[in-house]
Structure formats: structure tokens, C-alpha cells
Amino acid sequence: MREGKTDGIGELKAFLQQHPDRTDIIGALAWALACRGQHEEAVAMYRRYLDRLPEAIEPRWRMADRLVNLDRLHEALAEYRTVLEIAPDCADATMGIRYVLHLQRTGCHGSWVPGPGELSPSEIQHTNKELNDLEFREGRF
């Protein structure tokens, strides 16, 4: 993997066979699958993770991102809202909700949620996020 000859998915799956309850490996595999655009499999891994640690927020919003990619917006919205019940200040869930509501309002489909290794946000995107966060804190979303 370190030499770039493999994406590590096969190795992670093999390790998980030997250690099926290792949430760190489940999370790494889910992330690797997401990087490859294998969103269905990534969702299944995130669900497996949450079966073991239901209070974990990061795998839940990451799973919601994958659900958006799969155009399963109602499921994604429910997951983002669950995150906010656990962690009301989670910016990832807040932005996810805003994005899903935008997609639903405009009739667009959720074809892209930034994944691992995507470009960093532009200055305009960063400013927009700050404004979105402020509106959310003020209850204007």
C-alpha cells in the first residue's frame, strides 16, 4: 500500500475477516471504498461501524455523504439530523442538511459530495461556509 501499488481495500477486507469487530479497520475500509466511488459498500461498512458504536458521529455524517451520492436524500437527511441530535455543533452535518435541502428544493440529484483527497475549498467557498454557519447558529436555515 505504501508503494502505491494497491488501494488497500483487499488488505483491509482480509484484515477485517480476521478481526471483525475492529471499528478502526471498518472505518478505514469504508473511507477507502468511498474514495473509489463504491458508495453502496461504503454505506454498508459505515452501518457496520455504527452497529458497534451507535453514538459515533463522524461515521454517521460520512455515511450520509455517501447516501447523498447515491441520491438517497431522505435517508441522508435523517442521518445528518441524528448527528445534530448527538452533536449540535457539527458543521459537517449542518452543511449536509443545507445541501440536501437545496437538492430537494431545486429538484437536483446528489451526484457529488466531496470525498477524500478532493480539492480544498476556494476562498469564496470558505466565506460561504462561514456565512452558512452563522445563519445556522442564528436559526435561519
Side-chain angles (χ1 to χ4, degrees), residues 17-90:
Q17 287 285 342
Q18 296 172 356
H19 308 279
D21 293 323
R22 293 274 309 264
T23 53
D24 58 332
I25 302 303
I26 296 168
L29 178 55
W31 189 247
L33 291 164
C35 289
R36 296 289 304 246
Q38 295 171 285
H39 303 300
E40 256 335 313
E41 287 183 69
V43 167
M45 284 294 111
Y46 285 126
R47 288 197 193 285
R48 185 172 170 179
Y49 189 110
L50 292 167
D51 285 344
R52 285 152 181 80
L53 293 172
E55 71 283 355
I57 60 168
E58 185 175 343
R60 191 171 300 277
W61 65 254
R62 288 189 185 280
M63 178 177 63
D65 287 351
R66 306 292 62 84
L67 290 167
V68 171
N69 283 105
L70 293 167
D71 204 30
R72 292 162 51 185
L73 302 181
H74 292 291
E75 290 176 71
L77 193 56
E79 294 298 340
Y80 288 131
R81 287 183 172 150
T82 298
V83 170
L84 290 181
E85 288 173 12
I86 299 167
D89 294 331
C90 180

Side-chain angles (χ1 to χ4, degrees), residues 74-129:
H74 292 291
E75 290 176 71
L77 193 56
E79 294 298 340
Y80 288 131
R81 287 183 172 150
T82 298
V83 170
L84 290 181
E85 288 173 12
I86 299 167
D89 294 331
C90 180
D92 296 292
T94 301
M95 293 304 295
I97 288 173
R98 294 188 74 122
Y99 183 58
V100 169
L101 293 176
H102 165 75
L103 292 174
Q104 290 176 330
R105 193 172 47 252
T106 61
C108 294
H109 298 284
S111 59
W112 182 78
V113 172
E118 295 290 341
L119 297 175
S120 298
S122 69
E123 186 175 330
I124 291 172
Q125 290 170 320
H126 180 71
T127 302
N128 188 48
K129 181 188 178 314

